[in-house]
Amino acid sequence: MKKVLILGVNGFIGHHLSKRILETTDWHVYGMDMMTDRINDLLDNPEYKSRMHFFEGDITINKEWVEYHVKKCDVILPLVAIATPSTYVKQPLRVFELDFEANLPIVRSAAKYGKHLVFPSTSEVYGMCHDDEFDPEQSELICGPINKPRWIYSCAKQLMDRVIWGYGMEGLNFTLFRPFNWIGAGLDSIHTPKEGSSRVVTQFFGHIVRGENISLVDGGAQKRAFTHVGDGIDALMKIIANQNGIASGKIYNIGNPHNNYSIRDLAGMMLKLATEYPEYAESVKQVQLLETTSGAYYGAGYQDVQNRVPKITNTCEELGWQPTTDMADTLRNIFDAYRSQVAEARALMD
């Protein structure tokens, strides 16, 4: 029976992972977050009361609680991070302070107490890598110039990967996982009307619900390999289980190379799908695709990656895992999940 510490348990990955653990294993979840909106159903479920342990707190403040629970638990997942591009551009120091500085003591505690650290790296560490597919062991990590603060997230995460690898050389049991555009219900709030404040699928979805135009940054030609969160959690569960230590000292891309679409393609698929739902059919008629520049949308410090495809050979072979959810089913899952929230999202227009 494992004890799993999830910092950022109310986040996108955190709440999906907690749900899967409680539903399919006898493991205990010890979670910290500043909010509970995504995990209220888990906290209220009498079947999970004995295994779902939640503390409302902040990793930058409640450091003693964190260290005590690192010592107490078997597997440590520090999932607290800023991961929205608009913040990289507008508040780069905040990104560094949370994503690197606040997480470093947790890494050190995991090393100190001999725990399995499962740390979220990011597909962004590859930056503007020129490879057709990004290889966790071979690909070069390429960032833009210093005057493009968009890259502080990539650099902070890359530095953390290197620090963790260094601790691994001194005995830390770690696994780094790199999510490639995981999407699904609960990614961000669709009740956030501000451009750039959430990630692309949720942003587009909010616009569709409210009948607002969708902005395609630099024409929307840039591609992403989208991954259904359920497939991502499948891989993460295998990493946490770590049968025979297979995941120890490894770096895994977790993504679906078959779901590689441009942002323009994504918008088109979402607009078409919306017409099939009575909740969205009227509002979607008002939506137009408009082109804008990255400078106008994000600010002068933005720079983008044109293609981002994961090489998942070692993930599949070592973990016995395959992504199975295609793009159509992934998007339909999201549309189904938000049907009950349409009224609240539309109220933002008032």
Side-chain angles (χ1 to χ4, degrees):
M1 186 197 305
K2 285 184 185 289
K3 294 191 283 292
V4 183
L5 176 62
I6 304 177
L7 303 169
V9 71
N10 189 59
F12 176 52
I13 294 175
H15 86 279
H16 280 289
L17 177 59
S18 300
K19 187 169 188 287
R20 180 72 67 84
I21 288 173
L22 294 168
E23 285 178 349
T24 64
T25 72
D26 63 353
W27 304 346
H28 284 242
V29 174
Y30 292 82
M32 177 197 272
D33 212 306
M34 296 164 67
M35 297 176 69
T36 61
D37 55 297
R38 289 184 176 109
I39 56 168
N40 280 328
D41 59 330
L42 301 178
L43 297 176
D44 295 340
N45 189 326
E47 290 185 31
Y48 303 150
K49 289 282 187 193
S50 64
R51 294 189 294 124
M52 181 71 189
H53 314 276
F54 176 73
F55 177 77
E56 185 176 317
D58 180 333
I59 64 166
T60 64
I61 297 169
N62 304 101
K63 296 176 182 178
E64 290 181 0
W65 187 96
V66 173
E67 182 169 3
Y68 174 80
H69 282 81
V70 170
K71 185 177 181 180
K72 176 175 182 163
C73 294
D74 305 302
V75 184
I76 316 303
L77 290 105
L79 303 180
V80 178
I82 292 168
T84 46
S86 64
T87 314
Y88 313 158
V89 174
K90 292 168 184 160
Q91 297 179 285
L93 292 180
R94 189 169 157 235
V95 174
F96 177 73
E97 287 160 4
L98 184 63
D99 293 12
F100 184 83
E101 288 186 310
N103 277 282
L104 185 57
I106 301 164
V107 171
R108 287 177 166 154
S109 290
K112 176 181 176 181
Y113 295 115
K115 305 302 180 175
H116 182 199
L117 177 70
V118 178
F119 199 88
S121 179
T122 171
S123 58
E124 291 248 350
V125 296
Y126 296 104
M128 295 182 290
C129 178
H130 303 304
D131 297 348
D132 291 335
E133 54 178 13
F134 296 169
D135 185 330
E137 295 185 1
Q138 301 292 333
S139 289
E140 295 182 345
L141 314 182
I142 303 171
C143 290
I146 300 302
N147 63 7
K148 301 291 185 186
R150 183 253 204 275
W151 297 111
I152 197 161
Y153 175 71
S154 173
C155 286
K157 284 288 199 175
Q158 183 193 145
L159 181 56
M160 185 62 88
D161 286 2
R162 294 190 186 281
V163 168
I164 289 170
W165 188 272
Y167 274 109
M169 292 168 66
E170 297 183 1
L172 172 65
N173 179 14
F174 74 90
T175 309
L176 297 172
F177 70 98
R178 293 180 178 155
F180 276 70
N181 290 83
W182 292 13
I183 58 174
L187 176 57
D188 296 293
S189 172
I190 61 168
H191 308 144
T192 310
K194 183 171 168 48
E195 296 269 19
S197 57
S198 55
R199 285 157 285 196
V200 65
V201 171
T202 325
Q203 193 78 59
F204 286 3
F205 191 82
H207 293 322
I208 288 169
V209 167
R210 293 187 292 272
E212 299 165 349
N213 292 333
I214 288 175
S215 297
L216 295 175
V217 176
D218 296 335
Q222 60 276 35
K223 287 186 167 185
R224 296 291 183 269
F226 295 96
T227 311
H228 184 259
V229 65
D231 288 341
I233 297 298
D234 287 345
L236 209 42
M237 290 294 288
K238 290 177 179 288
I239 289 170
I240 295 168
N242 199 17
Q243 292 285 342
N244 302 314
I246 187 65
S248 293
K250 304 290 179 57
I251 304 175
Y252 293 119
N253 289 335
I254 304 180
N256 190 337
H258 301 296
N259 287 350
N260 192 38
Y261 293 97
S262 74
I263 302 302
R264 182 179 284 276
D265 290 339
L266 172 69
M269 287 186 280
M270 292 181 72
L271 291 171
K272 184 172 182 294
L273 185 57
T275 64
E276 300 175 21
Y277 287 79
E279 293 91 344
Y280 317 127
E282 284 306 310
S283 59
V284 74
K285 291 176 185 174
Q286 302 167 47
V287 181
Q288 295 183 354
L289 297 180
L290 305 178
E291 294 193 12
T292 185
T293 65
S294 56
Y297 192 84
Y298 288 114
Y302 189 74
Q303 197 170 18
D304 212 343
V305 182
Q306 291 309 301
N307 207 21
R308 189 188 285 172
V309 181
K311 182 175 183 179
I312 58 172
T313 307
N314 67 323
T315 317
C316 296
E317 290 176 355
E318 294 176 11
L319 299 180
W321 170 82
Q322 282 283 347
T324 59
T325 314
D326 65 18
M327 197 63 180
D329 287 341
T330 298
L331 290 176
R332 193 170 290 281
N333 172 278
I334 295 171
F335 273 69
D336 288 342
Y338 284 117
R339 291 176 95 161
S340 63
Q341 298 183 39
V342 170
E344 299 101 294
R346 287 208 179 114
L348 291 173
M349 297 170 65
D350 300 333

